[in-house]
Amino acid sequence: MVIVFVVLISILCARGQAQSTQSSLQEALTFYSSFDRGIEAELAHGDPSLYTITSKQPQETVRRGLHAQGQTEWVTGLGIDGGAALRFNQRNASWIFYRGEKNVRYRLNQWSGSVSLWLKLDPETELAPGFADPLQLTTRAWNDGSFFVDFNKDGDPRDFRLGAFADLKIWNPENKEISEDQRPLFPVKAPPFAKDRWTHVLFTWSNFNTGKKDGVARLYLNGAFQGEIAGWDQTFSWKPHETIKIYLGLNYNGLLDEVSCFNRALTPKEIKWFFEHPKELVFESASQ
């Protein structure tokens, strides 16, 4: 009888801890797009719409919705747990993005946050030559106030990398050529991506916009810590007139699902739980 009681208490405590973790994640969540109901985000503190850059010259032209002419598709039945996902079929497809304003909480000081997504591909057989960025978050360029996760342009297997580049004038004031090992990058050797299974990608950042060299960005794959970018002055001076963009699938070939943004750096415990419960942050409303 005593053993049964102890087991029951343990089960109840575990459920309580899981509910507490789920609640803390939902409170921190600012953007969530599962793609199961379409391309609009289920939860967005800002604009829930997906946009396509249909032309870049002579000036950038943007249309609401997915207008990639089959190069990128919303596909059903191929996502996590049989849901829907985005499939990127061609390297030079039109760029697509969500607007980041309010969806990514930006702060002028002591800034922290997290971004999560899921990928399914065999990098060695599906990616074309060159860099491939499943996700890039910036107002300007990849090397100027930008976060990204990418596959390196070559290698067998290719490295999977986290980049956290402060303002160009901060990390590279002379705008000179700097070798990759001296850039704010963290590479994962032989990453666990495969064509027949989903891989969870999550990165966090903390102590950004402090004016000190104490910014830290961390990368997790399948709930496990891989490494960090530390010892840099991570000043991101995103301006009010600049459009924050959450780019998806830049020069990428493969499936992408479940994009989420959080207003703080998640803890290792939360990240592990989130990896193990990818479909448990679902909301009834399309936006908030």
Side-chain angles (χ1 to χ4, degrees), residues 27-229:
E27 289 175 2
L29 191 65
T30 57
F31 179 86
Y32 174 68
S33 183
S34 73
F35 302 108
D36 289 343
R37 304 177 188 179
I39 57 175
E40 285 207 351
E42 281 94 332
L43 180 139
H45 285 199
D47 186 348
S49 299
L50 183 73
Y51 292 86
T52 303
I53 300 176
T54 55
S55 66
K56 296 182 179 180
Q57 299 294 336
Q59 63 182 13
E60 185 174 279
T61 302
V62 174
R63 292 181 63 189
R64 179 179 174 181
L66 183 58
H67 303 281
Q69 300 176 335
Q71 299 168 336
T72 302
E73 301 174 290
W74 177 72
V75 292
T76 59
L78 298 180
I80 295 173
D81 292 341
L86 292 182
R87 182 170 63 192
F88 296 83
N89 300 317
Q90 186 172 320
R91 173 176 171 80
N92 295 318
S94 300
W95 288 15
I96 62 174
F97 67 92
Y98 290 101
R99 298 188 187 277
E101 184 181 7
K102 296 184 180 179
N103 291 327
V104 177
R105 189 197 66 168
Y106 171 71
R107 297 188 62 174
L108 293 172
N109 51 66
Q110 288 293 340
W111 182 33
S112 65
S114 304
V115 172
S116 166
L117 67 157
W118 290 75
L119 302 175
K120 189 176 184 182
L121 77 156
D122 178 353
E124 276 55 67
T125 62
E126 293 186 77
L127 292 180
F131 296 108
D133 294 36
L135 185 142
Q136 188 179 122
L137 173 61
T138 187
T139 62
R140 303 169 196 147
W142 68 269
N143 63 349
D144 190 4
S146 172
F147 298 98
F148 61 79
V149 286
D150 79 350
F151 292 93
N152 208 348
K153 61 182 178 180
D154 49 32
D156 187 10
R158 295 191 187 195
D159 292 349
F160 185 72
R161 310 182 305 175
L162 170 65
F165 285 72
D167 293 351
L168 183 62
K169 64 182 180 182
I170 297 294
W171 79 272
N172 187 5
E174 298 178 11
N175 197 20
K176 60 184 180 181
E177 185 62 31
I178 297 177
S179 62
E180 289 191 4
D181 61 350
Q182 297 299 312
R183 298 177 185 177
L185 290 165
F186 177 79
V188 178
K189 305 293 183 181
F193 296 95
K195 189 177 182 64
D196 60 351
R197 66 174 181 269
W198 285 96
T199 300
H200 184 220
V201 177
L202 188 146
F203 63 89
T204 70
W205 64 94
S206 55
N207 293 333
F208 277 43
N209 288 348
T210 66
K212 303 175 183 178
K213 293 185 177 181
D214 58 352
V216 180
R218 296 185 171 96
L219 177 64
Y220 297 79
L221 296 179
N222 290 337
F225 175 66
Q226 303 296 311
E228 65 184 25
I229 301 166

